[in-house]
Amino acid sequence: MLGFTRYVSRTGPAKATFVGGLRKQRERRSGFNPHSQLVKALKADIAFRTGGSYLGGVVDLVKDRWKPLYESLRAGARTYLASLGDPEQLTLIQTHDALASVGPLAVKINLHFGLRFADGHREAVRIHFDEEPPSPELVTAMLHLMARHMDQILPDAEPVLVDLRRGLTHRLNPGTRAADVESWLAGEAAAFTAMWSATAA
């Protein structure tokens, strides 16, 4: 899902360049996730209601090469944590992966965690770590794909995308027509598939 939604936010020749790079990365089987310790710390602060103490200490746990990255993300992570309100009214819950068919493309939808609030409201959370804020196209595509498969991911939950560097939460725009998004994504998926095949030639 991350590769496809990053693709739709690009324009012109940048789309083909991105697909080529993605294919080379796949062939090299390089997929290390540098953010895993930060996600664990955030989840621990939510689960144990520790108000950010795990986030406070996580920078000291990672290798030196990752410390600047973690320092740049930590303030936003604390902002997001505070935005969730009273820790006693919040429970961390598990989400499940789903496989979406978008035109000719199979897209794996994987989230970071789920939340249940005291009033029964539930949220399924995907985190955006990039330096640049998520584009409107990326937000629309990701939230739509999450919402379309929420029965598998976390039934009755609201999909949210958290821009962690800025501590901002993005939600579905109620004015967006799902059918229009479906049509747009199907066209993007067809172009992505064609470019992927072309890079293999």
Side-chain angles (χ1 to χ4, degrees), residues 6 10 41 92 95 99 107 122 144 146 160 170 184:
R6 280 176 170 167
R10 285 163 168 76
L92 186 75
T95 58
L99 194 63
V107 178
R122 306 211 285 183
H144 176 81
M146 290 163 60
V160 298
H170 296 272
W184 165 60

Side-chain angles (χ1 to χ4, degrees), residues 12-189:
K15 283 183 178 287
T17 302
F18 176 76
V19 173
L22 202 62
R23 185 168 187 109
K24 288 177 182 175
Q25 185 183 63
R26 176 70 58 86
E27 289 168 352
R28 290 196 304 267
R29 298 184 182 279
S30 57
F32 174 69
N33 176 12
H35 306 108
S36 59
Q37 289 290 99
L38 189 83
V39 174
K40 286 179 183 177
L42 176 58
K43 289 168 69 174
D45 275 323
I46 294 170
F48 301 123
R49 302 176 170 90
T50 41
S53 62
Y54 282 91
L55 285 170
V58 72
V59 174
D60 297 326
L61 301 178
V62 297
K63 294 180 179 178
D64 288 345
R65 65 178 295 197
W66 300 118
K67 289 185 188 299
L69 171 65
Y70 274 52
E71 287 168 351
S72 68
L73 289 165
R74 185 167 55 181
R78 284 173 164 164
T79 299
Y80 167 66
L81 185 65
S83 76
L84 296 174
D86 183 356
E88 297 297 327
Q89 304 297 308
L90 192 64
T91 304
L92 186 75
I93 51 179
Q94 186 176 0
T95 58
H96 300 280
D97 293 348
L99 194 63
S101 294
V102 186
L105 194 64
V107 178
K108 184 179 180 181
I109 303 173
N110 52 340
L111 279 68
H112 289 98
F113 53 85
L115 300 172
R116 182 171 62 242
F117 296 81
D119 63 1
H121 174 69
R122 306 211 285 183
E123 293 183 353
V125 180
R126 172 80 196 186
I127 298 175
H128 177 86
F129 298 100
D130 295 357
E131 284 187 41
E132 293 298 317
S135 69
E137 293 83 5
L138 185 148
V139 171
T140 298
M142 195 166 280
L143 291 177
H144 176 81
L145 289 171
M146 290 163 60
R148 198 224 274 179
H149 295 84
M150 197 54 69
D151 285 350
Q152 296 168 257
I153 297 167
L154 185 62
D156 302 319
E158 177 188 6
V160 298
L161 177 65
V162 177
D163 177 3
L164 202 63
R165 285 178 185 265
R166 285 149 284 271
L168 298 175
T169 298
H170 296 272
R171 303 176 189 275
L172 279 170
N173 180 350
T176 302
R177 295 180 65 242
D180 292 342
V181 179
E182 283 285 334
S183 177
W184 165 60
L185 289 180
E188 292 285 347

